[in-house]
Amino acid sequence: MTNPIIENIRRSLGHSVQTPLSLRPSLAVSRQPESVDSEIETFLNEIQKLSGVGQKLSSAEIDASLQALVTEQNVRKATVWETPRLRQLGVSETLNTLGVELVSPNASKHEMALCDLGVTEADFLLPETGTLVLHSSAEKPRAVSLLPRIHLAIVHPDMLRADMHQVFVEAKDHHYLVFITGPSRTADIELTVTLGVHGPKSLYVWIVDA
């Protein structure tokens, strides 16, 4: 007995019961990375295409860059991941010196949503799509990257990965991953794109090689 739904699909495809199955398509070959400088350039170019702001900084330029960001974006309240690297760079201390109120990264969602700025790192960077990949953990709550109106990710070239195959292999033991490709965006029925409706309106990515 034949299934009428399956038969309709066969007719639509121009197939019959006797039509042989097509061969399974070959798996895509993993992308081979280029030089670190080239990968950084590709990544930053993609960030720009996605309406983000990306730049390469030295650790000595962090304080001045934070001051410029706070001034330009009128940042009054911020939340920062409490990771060793961000502590080493003195991000929280600099923001505090600039008069920014700091909110615990483990605060309630309501308090986090009132923050102007959320500062994180990233665990992986995908140059071809300008994508940040973040592990979620008690030390690195995902709300910091999702609720404040501005997301700043301070990253390192060591986080660059050739493609998602490599990311999934390295992250197989992690239960939660956040993939971020540009600021939050949505479109209405007329395809008018609006930024920041369901998350950060602005994305800044600073690559710090130190």
Side-chain angles (χ1 to χ4, degrees):
M1 182 176 178
T2 59
N3 185 310
I5 296 176
I6 299 298
E7 287 303 313
N8 286 336
I9 294 173
R10 281 200 183 104
R11 281 195 297 272
S12 298
L13 295 173
H15 293 174
S16 68
V17 176
Q18 290 75 32
T19 303
L21 294 174
S22 58
L23 296 175
R24 179 186 294 178
S26 58
L27 295 175
V29 178
S30 295
R31 174 178 175 269
Q32 297 302 308
E34 300 179 12
S35 68
V36 173
D37 287 343
S38 179
E39 294 288 275
I40 290 174
E41 182 180 2
T42 298
F43 180 76
L44 294 179
N45 285 339
E46 290 301 314
I47 291 289
Q48 184 177 8
K49 291 177 186 177
L50 293 162
S51 303
V53 179
Q55 57 185 319
K56 188 175 179 182
L57 301 174
S58 68
S59 57
E61 296 174 299
I62 292 290
D63 288 359
S65 297
L66 282 172
Q67 182 174 10
L69 179 60
V70 166
T71 301
E72 291 168 7
Q73 294 290 345
N74 192 28
V75 174
R76 298 175 181 273
K77 187 179 293 189
T79 181
V80 182
W81 272 3
E82 296 173 350
T83 57
R85 180 163 177 75
L86 292 180
R87 283 198 296 267
Q88 179 184 356
L89 292 171
V91 174
S92 294
E93 288 80 0
T94 300
L95 289 172
N96 188 51
T97 300
L98 293 170
V100 177
E101 179 186 346
L102 294 176
V103 174
S104 168
N106 293 302
S108 69
K109 292 179 181 178
H110 175 72
E111 290 181 276
M112 301 282 279
L114 293 175
C115 289
D116 301 298
L117 174 67
V119 185
T120 72
E121 295 186 62
D123 294 279
F124 307 108
L125 308 174
L126 294 168
E128 277 195 316
T129 56
T131 299
L132 306 164
V133 185
L134 285 63
H135 291 162
S136 180
S137 67
E139 184 187 48
K140 302 186 294 185
R142 54 186 170 178
V144 175
S145 67
L146 300 176
L147 295 181
R149 67 178 173 87
I150 304 164
H151 176 204
L152 166 62
I154 300 178
V155 301
H156 191 275
D158 286 349
M159 301 167 183
L160 290 162
R161 297 295 183 270
D163 57 26
M164 260 206 261
H165 296 287
Q166 189 175 359
V167 169
F168 286 136
V169 168
E170 294 187 46
K172 63 182 179 180
D173 295 326
H174 294 274
H175 297 293
Y176 296 102
L177 293 175
V178 178
F179 288 78
I180 298 171
T181 306
S184 168
R185 66 189 64 216
T186 191
D188 60 19
I189 196 169
E190 296 179 347
L191 301 182
T192 302
V193 175
T194 304
L195 299 181
V197 175
H198 303 295
K201 185 175 183 178
S202 302
L203 172 66
Y204 289 77
V205 182
W206 297 346
I207 298 183
V208 181
D209 191 1

